[in-house]
Amino acid sequence: MSLAVSLRRAMLVLLTGAIFILTVLYWNQGVTKAQAYNEALERPHSHHDASGFPIPVEKSWTYKCENDRCIRVGHHRKSAKRVSFISCSMTCGDINIWPHPTQKFLLSSHTHSFSVEDVQLHIETSHREVRKQLQLAFDWFLKDLRQIQRLDYVGSSSESTVSESSSKSRHHADVEPAATLFGATFGVRKAGDLNRIQVKITVLKSGDLNFSLENDETYQLSSLTEGHRLQVEITANSYFGARHGLSTLQQLIWFDDEDHLLHTYANSKVKDAPKFRYRGLMLDTSRHFFSVESIKRTIVGMGLAKMNRFHWHLTDAQSFPYISRYYPELAEHGAYSESETYTEQDVREVAEFAKIYGVQVIPEIDAPAHAGNGWDWGPKRGMGELAMCINQQPWSFYCGEPPCGQLNPKNNHTYLILQRLYEELLQHTGPTDLFHLGGDEVNLDCWAQYFNDTDLRGLWCDFMLQAMARLKLANNGVAPKHVAVWSSALTNTKCLPNSQFTVQVWGGSTWQENYDLLDNGYNVIFSHVDAWYLDCGFGSWRATGDAACAPYRTWQNVYKHRPWERMRLDKKRRKQVLGGEVCMWTEQVDENQLDNRLWPRTAALAERLWTDPSDDHDMDIVPPDVFRRISLFRNRLVELGIRAEALFPKYCAQNPGECI
């Protein structure tokens, strides 16, 4: 009897609970529908609370191509298959890679999907070292594709995406597989249209892996679909051309957030070659210290944009962060701290990593000016005064910014130390036909305090010639073909032989020195302050108001600058222009701002120097197709963990051509 009563009570409780649950669901059905709609957007998720993937999935929009332009429209589940923005952009209008190819290209309108696991490599070359370097470059190419496919993604975008080279994964261990990120594959790899992508790289001629302005950087790329296999062929005369071919291939591949797979063209042909041999970026690591990881991240962007020279302004008056094997006192007296230093291994590691991306590291120990406390130890070692005017006040009389200091041109120990430094750096970065000696902004008033009966201009000339002689000794008795110095009031004294010295012109693009240096027979690298100085436009750090080089240089300023055209150079003078370089001085820049100060403005220079497209538009107007391509390239940088500056409101990116 008692058992029956207990059962009735239990059934009554269950019935009451069921009625309550049904009532709650009925009254909250509107909330449930809203939640279902939000879930239908299928945003990627991560166990990291900091942020999602830098480029979110946009399931509420689909795109269609009309008149070579992608039009955004609302997407409903019952309508046709959604076309993602990137897939529309890559198949609508002109080729969407950066820099634009200079010769021929042809792309199929049909595309295929695949996963990075399906990509294989075949190398054809008679040069064993070239084969090894290509294999290494391809390994990093695959790592970048994994990042693009979001297979190795760290949720916190503040983490670096680049770590030590081949032996370690680029990403941290706490990554989520694709199944966790998207909740669709559940641990099973999704299959695309293709089950195999065979990348065949052929180097026809040169086995040279040393950087030179004579490197053949041309390449040809073609792809052809056969059944469920895509055959990609990259043909070049050198490793450097083949490396650029890989950069182009990477930009012919994109991630589609509709099927969570990589996509590429069914057929393609690209024939390409650069217009200028020297396409550089300079980073000053003296005013602020930059980690090896941030430098590597910068080099990744350079490689994708086909830039080929990383000018490392390693030391200056503010700090001497390089720990020399022969003279560690330089860093002991000159570095900001023990942790803000570069070892020999660091420099070698950066140089080896840069070669993987087709980028040469050009280190610079600026001399004779820009030498500060790092040189203030000579008397203790019995080597005399290595530098003068160190920390002298008032600083504005003896240097451009504090602290002051410049090397002693009449102390032979000074030249011996420079020789040893050159020797070390050449060992770390490899053989080269171009080396940078610095040479800028010598304050003659400083030297005049010590050598008032001397021809001070001649003293500078003697110093630079002595430095070059020491460089030759450091380079096994062979002087590099191009010995670079910064332009200054002293470079036009004609005391430096134009057959050996190349001048990096940093002054204004309208200054007379531009013409004088060319007329005097010097090869030049343009880095005009009014166009290609990326640190300008952020105010003065010493006072209110604008800094000396205001205003801000927009990417359009960088892109539109064509000094060889504005100067109306003849064929002979044009040959003396080796190329150009953007400069990032770092008085007001540290690692927190580096990415967005460099990118995508540096990419604008990359296309100017690789493609140098003709400019038939007004001075202030950049064609809409250039906006479209650089916007997409900026997104590619973000996919690789580079925090590139935004170009315009996201609405403009989603509606190409509408805002321009």
Side-chain angles (χ1 to χ4, degrees):
M1 182 71 178
S2 60
L3 179 61
V5 172
S6 298
L7 288 172
R8 284 198 297 270
R9 287 178 179 174
M11 291 294 293
L12 182 62
V13 170
L14 289 172
L15 180 62
T16 303
I19 293 172
F20 176 78
I21 291 171
L22 289 172
T23 302
V24 170
L25 290 174
Y26 175 80
W27 288 108
N28 288 279
Q29 60 182 323
V31 176
T32 304
K33 289 178 181 179
Q35 181 180 356
Y37 172 76
N38 288 333
E39 290 174 350
L41 298 181
E42 293 183 6
R43 294 183 178 180
H45 62 275
S46 169
H47 68 283
H48 296 275
D49 296 330
S51 64
F53 194 82
I55 302 176
V57 175
E58 299 166 352
K59 292 287 187 178
S60 54
W61 304 106
T62 187
Y63 293 83
K64 58 182 179 179
C65 182
E66 293 184 359
N67 300 320
D68 292 338
R69 177 178 158 191
C70 290
I71 306 297
R72 184 180 73 160
V73 295
H75 177 62
H76 304 287
R77 282 281 174 182
K78 294 181 181 180
S79 62
K81 180 182 177 181
R82 170 179 169 267
V83 177
S84 66
F85 169 72
I86 182 66
S87 287
C88 179
S89 297
M90 295 300 291
T91 54
C92 184
D94 191 17
I95 188 171
N96 212 333
I97 67 172
W98 192 277
H100 197 282
T102 57
Q103 297 181 14
K104 299 177 182 179
F105 65 89
L106 179 65
L107 301 176
S108 167
S109 60
H110 187 57
T111 64
H112 290 306
S113 59
F114 66 97
S115 180
V116 66
E117 286 87 352
D118 300 319
V119 183
Q120 300 175 3
L121 173 66
H122 175 71
I123 299 173
E124 285 196 3
T125 177
S126 59
H127 308 288
R128 185 172 63 177
E129 292 304 312
V130 170
R131 179 184 299 275
K132 289 169 59 178
Q133 191 67 31
L134 283 172
Q135 181 65 64
L136 193 57
F138 192 77
D139 290 344
W140 283 91
F141 167 77
L142 290 182
K143 290 180 183 180
D144 287 340
L145 287 189
R146 287 185 64 84
Q147 174 82 350
I148 293 168
Q149 196 176 341
R150 311 185 185 190
L151 297 179
D152 285 343
Y153 174 61
V154 179
S156 175
S157 58
S158 64
E159 297 287 351
S160 170
T161 62
V162 184
S163 69
E164 273 72 29
S165 50
S166 54
S167 62
K168 296 183 181 180
S169 169
R170 167 174 311 196
H171 313 287
H172 294 267
D174 55 340
V175 298
E176 293 187 330
T180 309
L181 280 173
F182 302 113
T185 57
F186 298 103
V188 179
R189 185 170 76 85
K190 293 185 67 175
D193 302 332
L194 303 171
N195 55 34
R196 184 180 178 190
I197 296 89
Q198 178 79 46
V199 180
K200 178 183 176 183
I201 303 178
T202 303
V203 173
L204 297 172
K205 295 182 180 179
S206 175
D208 195 357
L209 290 175
N210 297 326
F211 286 94
S212 164
L213 291 178
E214 304 305 317
N215 290 144
D216 187 341
E217 298 180 274
T218 63
Y219 71 91
Q220 294 186 55
L221 181 150
S222 64
S223 64
L224 181 65
T225 303
E226 297 177 351
H228 293 282
R229 184 178 70 176
L230 182 70
Q231 181 72 32
V232 180
E233 293 192 7
I234 297 172
T235 305
N237 290 324
S238 73
Y239 164 77
F240 305 99
R243 174 59 251 191
H244 295 320
L246 272 180
S247 294
T248 291
L249 178 59
Q250 185 168 326
Q251 291 195 55
L252 296 178
I253 296 170
W254 64 94
F255 173 77
D256 191 297
D257 58 28
E258 181 66 15
D259 58 14
H260 312 309
L261 289 167
L262 298 175
H263 284 232
T264 192
Y265 301 97
N267 303 290
S268 64
K269 288 186 178 180
V270 178
K271 186 177 181 182
D272 207 2
K275 292 292 183 65
F276 289 93
R277 295 177 285 169
Y278 188 105
R279 305 177 304 280
L281 180 157
M282 188 226 72
L283 177 64
D284 162 28
T285 60
S286 168
R287 271 76 178 199
H288 279 97
F289 179 83
F290 294 84
S291 69
V292 168
E293 297 308 313
S294 67
I295 294 173
K296 286 183 177 180
R297 193 168 63 246
T298 299
I299 288 168
V300 169
M302 292 179 67
L304 192 63
K306 301 186 179 72
M307 302 185 77
N308 61 0
R309 302 290 186 270
F310 176 70
H311 176 180
W312 191 348
H313 188 83
L314 191 53
T315 68
D316 212 289
Q318 282 78 6
S319 76
F320 198 108
Y322 172 65
I323 303 176
S324 165
R325 180 194 323 155
Y326 294 107
Y327 301 103
E329 296 91 342
L330 291 161
E332 290 173 7
H333 287 252
Y336 286 130
S337 68
E338 291 183 5
S339 61
E340 294 170 289
T341 55
Y342 302 107
T343 64
E344 293 182 86
Q345 176 57 32
D346 290 333
V347 178
R348 190 179 302 111
E349 184 180 320
V350 169
E352 291 174 353
F353 182 82
K355 182 174 286 190
I356 294 171
Y357 283 89
V359 177
Q360 179 188 16
V361 173
I362 301 173
E364 177 200 350
I365 305 291
D366 204 353
H370 297 280
N373 290 301
W375 297 83
D376 194 20
W377 48 270
K380 297 178 183 178
R381 285 278 304 271
M383 302 176 74
E385 295 291 347
L386 300 173
M388 299 167 167
C389 310
I390 295 178
N391 298 323
Q392 191 164 352
Q393 296 290 342
W395 63 262
S396 58
F397 287 13
Y398 303 104
C399 59
E401 62 186 42
C404 295
Q406 55 194 49
L407 298 181
N408 184 347
K410 292 193 175 183
N411 185 341
N412 285 332
H413 292 293
T414 300
Y415 298 110
L416 176 61
I417 294 172
L418 288 176
Q419 178 183 330
R420 293 301 191 194
L421 289 172
Y422 299 155
E423 182 182 316
E424 292 180 42
L425 294 173
L426 285 166
Q427 289 174 359
H428 306 331
T429 58
T432 179
D433 68 341
L434 190 148
F435 195 87
H436 208 298
L437 294 179
D440 61 321
E441 295 187 323
V442 169
N443 187 294
L444 297 181
D445 289 334
C446 168
W447 280 349
Q449 298 175 102
Y450 304 89
F451 314 114
N452 56 10
D453 59 344
T454 303
D455 174 9
L456 298 177
R457 290 178 177 270
L459 196 59
W460 175 82
C461 293
D462 291 342
F463 183 97
M464 300 311 300
L465 292 172
Q466 277 265 33
M468 182 179 157
R470 296 296 182 143
L471 172 62
K472 182 177 179 180
L473 290 173
N475 197 40
N476 298 317
V478 179
K481 183 176 179 180
H482 303 276
V483 178
V485 295
W486 292 100
S487 62
S488 72
L490 300 172
T491 47
N492 266 319
T493 57
K494 302 181 183 179
C495 64
L496 304 182
N498 59 24
S499 61
Q500 295 174 300
F501 282 87
T502 292
V503 180
Q504 184 169 358
V505 185
W506 70 268
S509 59
T510 60
W511 291 11
Q512 183 61 36
E513 70 172 359
N514 292 278
Y515 302 93
D516 292 342
L517 288 166
L518 291 171
D519 290 342
N520 290 335
Y522 291 104
N523 288 327
V524 299
I525 298 167
F526 285 133
S527 293
H528 291 137
V529 63
D530 51 349
W532 292 344
Y533 264 39
L534 302 186
D535 58 300
C536 295
F538 295 91
S540 171
W541 55 275
R542 293 196 292 262
T544 60
D546 291 336
C549 67
Y552 178 80
R553 281 61 165 140
T554 66
W555 74 265
Q556 295 97 319
N557 296 143
V558 176
Y559 190 83
K560 298 281 285 187
H561 188 55
R562 300 180 76 200
W564 41 90
E565 287 292 328
R566 189 194 60 76
M567 294 172 67
R568 302 181 185 276
L569 299 180
D570 58 26
K571 193 173 182 179
K572 177 185 176 183
R573 297 291 186 269
R574 278 200 177 222
K575 285 185 177 180
Q576 294 172 234
V577 180
L578 302 182
E581 183 173 282
V582 288
C583 295
M584 178 55 70
W585 301 102
T586 59
E587 285 90 344
Q588 295 174 270
V589 178
D590 67 9
E591 200 158 317
N592 296 299
Q593 299 96 30
L594 180 63
D595 287 7
N596 57 53
R597 294 283 177 91
L598 287 179
W599 304 103
R601 292 188 294 164
T602 297
L605 178 79
E607 179 157 295
R608 174 53 56 206
L609 296 175
W610 180 277
T611 314
D612 191 26
S614 59
D615 191 357
D616 300 326
H617 296 75
D618 295 337
M619 285 296 293
D620 297 328
I621 296 176
V622 173
D625 70 288
V626 177
F627 271 89
R628 177 177 62 86
R629 286 188 303 104
I630 198 170
S631 174
L632 202 61
F633 185 79
R634 183 260 177 188
N635 283 356
R636 290 186 180 278
L637 295 173
V638 173
E639 281 184 320
L640 295 175
I642 298 171
R643 293 185 164 194
E645 183 180 44
L647 293 167
F648 36 47
K650 185 171 181 177
Y651 177 86
C652 300
Q654 289 183 328
N655 296 270
E658 185 171 327
C659 301
I660 308 304

